[in-house]
Amino acid sequence: RKKFKTRSGDTVRLVDLLDEGISRAEQKLVEKGRDKELTKEELEAVKRAVAYGCIKYADLSHNRNHDYVFSFDKMLDDRGNTAAYLLYALTRIRSIARNSNISQEDLKQAARTTRIDLGHPKEWKLAKCILRLPEVILRCLDDLLLHTLCEYLYELSNTFTEFYDSCYCIEKDKATGAIVKVNMSRLLLCEATANVIATGFHVLGINPLEKM
């Protein structure tokens, strides 16, 4: 909790910050056993995406006109409004369609023909949140404060969690685990949420991941 002073040289160099981020990201992934689930190449890609994404996001998620406390632990935390949390949320949402054996082409075709049902309150809440993206982008273009986009992505992720906890997208046979029914309308809400988060990442310069 001391001020960084460039004249005294008492600062953290960017290259050291990035290297420390990669080291800590890898340590967390190993602690969670991800090194046993991912190939060597996948682990390398994940630890870099997490480290660089977290460092960028930690800076951009604060109002650039305000001070904030530099903390490695907070940057790499996978809970709360962090890149690690949002990267995990995106991979989890993308996996829903894969687990239901629905391809991207199937989703694109369904988007042209399927009526979105917003009968459940959580479906309605999620849809309204998704539709706020243009408003948020325009606000960022107006004041050049990207923390607004970060706050929106975090809100969207939490809203999606509420939706997913209340609304079944895939129904499975309890005995066999076989897929009995796929709710395409809800699956399209999942896909729309994932696309919005991926768009936000593109604006922020964060690389999304397929597996994490």
Side-chain angles (χ1 to χ4, degrees):
R1 292 181 176 273
K2 295 179 181 178
K3 288 184 178 180
F4 278 158
K5 297 180 180 178
T6 52
R7 286 186 180 180
S8 66
D10 186 24
T11 57
V12 177
R13 295 191 309 156
L14 179 58
V15 66
D16 296 330
L17 171 62
L18 297 175
D19 288 345
E20 180 72 12
I22 289 174
S23 175
R24 291 193 181 214
E26 183 175 21
Q27 183 182 343
K28 282 215 169 193
L29 290 165
V30 171
E31 286 173 3
K32 293 176 181 292
R34 297 293 191 268
D35 57 321
K36 296 178 177 62
E37 299 172 12
L38 301 169
T39 66
K40 186 177 180 181
E41 291 75 18
E42 287 173 339
L43 181 63
E44 186 70 22
V46 168
K47 72 181 184 183
R48 287 183 176 276
V50 170
Y52 296 165
C54 284
I55 290 167
K56 287 181 182 180
Y57 192 89
D59 197 42
L60 296 173
S61 62
H62 292 86
N63 187 322
R64 62 181 170 80
N65 295 322
H66 298 166
D67 295 335
Y68 70 86
V69 177
F70 175 86
S71 167
F72 272 120
D73 291 334
K74 190 171 182 182
M75 279 184 178
L76 295 171
D77 197 349
D78 56 6
R79 297 160 297 176
N81 187 12
T82 66
Y85 173 79
L86 291 171
L87 281 165
Y88 175 72
L90 179 57
T91 57
R92 186 167 64 99
I93 297 169
R94 291 286 195 206
S95 71
I96 295 170
R98 288 199 302 269
N99 292 338
S100 61
N101 298 322
I102 302 295
S103 69
Q104 284 295 310
E105 278 304 313
D106 292 334
L107 286 171
K108 288 178 182 178
Q109 182 60 36
R112 300 186 191 100
T113 58
T114 304
R115 179 180 179 275
I116 304 297
D117 182 9
L118 303 177
H120 193 285
K122 298 301 182 183
E123 292 173 322
W124 179 237
K125 183 178 180 181
L126 178 60
K128 287 195 294 182
C129 194
I130 290 169
L131 289 172
R132 282 178 42 218
L133 175 64
E135 163 199 331
V136 172
I137 295 295
L138 286 172
R139 182 176 172 184
C140 290
L141 286 170
D142 184 51
D143 59 21
L144 303 180
L145 298 175
L146 285 172
H147 72 279
T148 304
L149 176 58
C150 297
E151 289 168 359
Y152 166 71
L153 294 177
Y154 182 55
E155 179 190 348
L156 177 61
S157 180
N158 286 331
T159 303
F160 177 83
T161 298
E162 290 180 22
F163 154 79
Y164 194 63
D165 287 344
S166 302
C167 303
Y168 287 109
C169 299
I170 309 167
E171 293 183 30
K172 294 185 177 180
D173 186 282
K174 292 182 179 179
T176 64
I179 297 172
V180 176
K181 180 183 177 183
V182 174
N183 188 314
M184 189 57 76
S185 172
R186 290 175 177 174
L187 215 56
L188 288 172
L189 282 174
C190 295
E191 181 67 7
T193 303
N195 287 340
V196 168
I197 295 175
T199 298
F201 280 169
H202 177 71
V203 173
L204 297 171
I206 295 174
N207 293 325
L209 296 160
E210 288 298 317
K211 295 173 68 177
M212 187 171 170

